[in-house]
Amino acid sequence: MGMGKRMSMIPNTPRLGMLIVVSGPSGTGKTTLCRKVCDGSSSVFSVSCTTRPPRPGEVDGKDYFFLDEADFLARVDRGELFEYARVHNRWYGTLKSYVFDNLRRGVDVFMDIDVQGATQVRGCEDDLVRHCLTDIFVMPPSLNELRNRLSGRGTDSAEVVELRMVNAEAEMKHWRDYRYCLISDTRESDEAKFRTLIEAERLRSSLYLELA
Ligand code: 5GP
């Protein structure tokens, strides 16, 4: 091999962003975890589109892009969504351009999505996604504790809490599909473990891929 073709010993390209897919039943604190570790410049939270109504205090464009069903489905038709799924009888989906633009710029993107969405992301054949992807399942410590957390939130009716419990059990069957599993304990220890994991994943050599 001539000198000119020698592989460089030290990566000389800036690294790509990581795509961190975080799933788990609602009430495990995964949204809070993602939000906490995102600084808004080197790492961002992927704000999803949804057709569910805003909860008190939620802000359009910050928590979600709240869309009506016709608008959501029109975006699906135009191919604007990276992944989308029906969860708790509502549509949820991630904007493609936001994810790809940030990964290319080296910005880490946190996606808080359900197991159906995660399956779609894992199945994505785009090279960029395949090199950047990491997935984590956040487990509640027990179903009882999950129910306490969901009712304690005080923002959802008893009926909605029940629906979420049924969905939680269905979601939890998929934890093995994820590379990492974080069993939720206290907020502090969850955050510490999550940060440690992210720090380590940032060192992955595949993030230094030189894209053609
Ligand atoms: P919530 O209504 O409690 O904010 O979210 C309900 C569920 O929808 C959560 O499990 C959350 O991870 C999931 N979710 C939020 N955004 C998206 C998205 O863009 N795509 C998919 N597939 N699921 C999402």
Side-chain angles (χ1 to χ4, degrees):
M1 196 187 274
M3 285 291 280
K5 290 204 175 147
R6 205 167 44 156
M7 288 276 282
S8 82
M9 297 287 285
I10 297 170
N12 58 4
T13 48
R15 79 162 172 86
L16 297 166
M18 274 195 300
L19 182 59
I20 308 102
V21 168
V22 186
S23 301
S26 47
T28 49
K30 63 188 189 320
T31 313
T32 312
L33 273 181
C34 292
R35 295 245 178 222
K36 275 211 159 155
V37 300
C38 289
D39 63 11
S41 57
S42 67
S43 50
V44 293
F45 182 84
S46 162
V47 178
S48 298
C49 301
T50 184
T51 60
R52 84 150 161 74
R55 296 200 186 106
E58 281 185 333
V59 177
D60 187 37
K62 181 174 163 282
D63 296 291
Y64 279 103
F65 296 107
F66 295 100
L67 308 178
D68 61 33
E69 187 140 331
D71 190 359
F72 188 97
L73 295 174
R75 284 169 193 266
V76 170
D77 280 347
R78 292 198 296 264
E80 291 176 19
L81 297 186
F82 177 34
E83 61 72 38
Y84 65 97
R86 190 122 177 122
V87 187
H88 310 143
N89 289 328
R90 305 286 183 169
W91 289 111
Y92 291 82
T94 306
L95 293 172
K96 197 184 279 177
S97 57
Y98 187 79
V99 171
F100 282 75
D101 291 353
N102 278 301
L103 294 180
R104 284 199 195 94
R105 292 194 299 127
V107 174
D108 298 331
V109 180
F110 287 78
M111 287 174 70
D112 165 1
I113 60 172
D114 87 314
V115 294
Q116 306 169 75
T119 304
Q120 291 171 42
V121 175
R122 259 183 237 115
C124 173
E125 287 181 356
D126 189 292
D127 253 0
L128 182 66
V129 171
R130 288 161 44 129
H131 283 87
C132 298
L133 184 61
T134 287
D135 53 359
I136 310 166
F137 194 89
V138 184
M139 272 285 193
S142 70
L143 288 174
N144 266 344
E145 173 61 18
L146 184 66
R147 188 186 300 274
N148 290 341
R149 290 186 191 181
L150 284 175
S151 354
R153 199 146 70 171
T155 50
D156 297 310
S157 65
E159 202 178 301
V160 169
V161 169
E162 278 323 303
L163 176 61
R164 280 167 192 259
M165 285 302 296
V166 171
N167 288 337
E169 290 194 53
E171 284 225 302
M172 282 158 64
K173 294 198 176 113
H174 295 271
W175 68 274
R176 280 241 181 244
D177 299 343
Y178 294 71
R179 177 181 287 256
Y180 297 104
C181 176
L182 193 159
I183 301 170
S184 176
D185 185 1
T186 62
R187 269 182 192 253
E188 294 72 28
S189 79
D190 290 359
E191 190 185 330
K193 285 178 197 156
F194 195 59
R195 282 190 191 278
T196 305
L197 173 60
I198 301 304
E199 282 299 296
E201 285 287 300
R202 282 198 172 115
L203 308 184
R204 268 167 45 184
S205 57
S206 64
L207 296 175
Y208 291 95
L209 172 83
E210 222 159 342
L211 284 179

